[in-house]
Amino acid sequence: MENPQSNMANESLPTVEEDAPSISGLYELAIGATAENEAALIEYWQQFGFSVGQSGTLSATQANQLYGVNSSLRSHRLHNQVTDRSLLRLMVWEKPVNEGLGLTPLKAVGSRWGTSLSLDVFNIANHAEDAMLLWSRFANAAGLPVYYVPPQRNLIYRPDPFQPFIQANPCVHEMVLIQPLTRQVFFERHDYTRPNSGIVNPDSHFKASEFVHAGLIVDCDHEKLDFYDQVLGLRRSTNNSESKYVEASRRILELKGPENGERMLNYYFNAPLTSSTDKTQARSGNFEVLRFEGTLINKLAYSRPGSLGVCLYTMKVRDIEEYYQRVSTSEATQVTQVYENEFGEKSFSFIAPDGYFWTLLEG
């Protein structure tokens, strides 16, 4: 979701030295699939501007070493208009471990999703509404089930007082679209731009961009999230901040509120070498971590490689051996050795202190 508070916080943070070991923000959002739905998923993502750029395979033994899944693997790397970050990886498993997150709403531990800009979010909403109606009416005859939250308007930097038709009215319309194998948030900007964050493929049917943000829901202690900046070196721009979301965002996230024993805190992490003092130069590929204090269902086992649907985030690092040493001596668990992934890149995987599975690759 578009996060004005996080971007404002970026302005007061120092830059990182150019010779420091670097890590990207989001490099890939990965989706688990089977051979039966492989072609349909590629066709689906083509409507949002993604195209296959690279493919590769691993044997069951190799996949077990790197991802902990005893199944052969065929993967496709897809990109939109951006080729160095916010890509999509389709991981086709011969023997999937489980059905994945399915139609679980965003608010669950283990929930992952990609947020993209669209120039026509209401067109996506129209398709989602019709898909849901067709599914309920014809009971599986017209496609996959759909769970969605229709577009909600959120204000971004609106002046106070505000004069309609005289002053700019910066805002977004945001919506949620969840299907058994995909979890997406879309937003459309009005009256403001960020040219390097959300680069739309104009030839795509839904006029959609790369992933501007990747989302995580956690219920761990605040200190466990120190791993992302203190060990991995990401740049924290919002920290343990209680989100004062308006009613529109409460609907998106299905928040009950503190009066019902539920409290949400916001964290935002950026790639260290891509942050800018000029918020108009903000780049895509950031992580939005939402930490809940309250009772949530735990779906972490359905949100890791081998699961169907959204199952993994990857990041690129400049020196894989240095990052291996950092992670293996931290509180991360199940740290693998460095192996070649399905694309021939040096990689290793681990579980972060908050319970999420990650893969780093050198590039």
Side-chain angles (χ1 to χ4, degrees), residues 62-79:
Q62 292 169 319
N64 197 34
Q65 290 173 329
L66 184 57
Y67 302 118
V69 184
N70 188 22
S71 168
S72 61
L73 171 67
R74 178 174 64 255
S75 290
H76 307 290
R77 179 173 283 157
L78 293 77
H79 58 83

Side-chain angles (χ1 to χ4, degrees), residues 82 84-86 189 193-199 210-212 274 276 278-286:
V82 179
D84 66 341
R85 62 191 186 277
S86 299
R189 292 176 178 140
T193 61
R194 288 186 185 146
N196 297 314
S197 177
I199 302 173
E210 80 283 9
F211 300 114
V212 176
T274 59
S276 171
D278 180 358
K279 61 180 176 290
T280 65
Q281 297 304 307
R283 284 161 55 96
S284 57
N286 307 307

Side-chain angles (χ1 to χ4, degrees), residues 106-231:
L106 293 186
K107 198 182 69 177
V109 178
S111 179
R112 307 179 189 248
W113 65 89
T115 299
S116 300
L117 174 70
S118 170
L119 300 185
D120 192 356
V121 75
F122 286 94
N123 187 26
I124 300 172
N126 288 339
H127 280 262
E129 183 175 347
D130 288 340
M132 188 171 69
L133 289 172
L134 287 170
W135 175 264
S136 60
R137 187 174 300 168
F138 297 106
N140 202 25
L144 293 172
V146 169
Y147 173 87
Y148 88 108
V149 179
Q152 310 289 321
R153 190 171 74 127
N154 265 337
L155 304 179
I156 305 286
Y157 305 131
R158 174 189 273 189
D160 185 16
F162 170 64
Q163 300 179 48
F165 303 107
I166 303 299
Q167 295 173 289
N169 187 11
C171 62
V172 297
H173 277 91
E174 297 178 290
M175 65 166 287
V176 176
L177 174 60
I178 297 176
Q179 299 177 76
L181 299 181
T182 61
R183 300 174 67 80
Q184 297 162 275
V185 172
F186 295 99
F187 68 97
E188 182 175 353
R189 292 176 178 140
H190 307 283
D191 251 3
Y192 78 104
T193 61
R194 288 186 185 146
N196 297 314
S197 177
I199 302 173
V200 169
N201 185 335
D203 297 324
S204 64
H205 180 77
F206 293 113
K207 302 295 186 288
S209 75
E210 80 283 9
F211 300 114
V212 176
H213 317 292
L216 299 171
I217 298 287
V218 303
D219 65 352
C220 61
D221 294 337
H222 163 71
E223 290 75 17
K224 290 187 181 297
L225 299 178
D226 293 346
F227 174 84
Y228 291 111
D229 54 345
Q230 295 182 14
V231 176

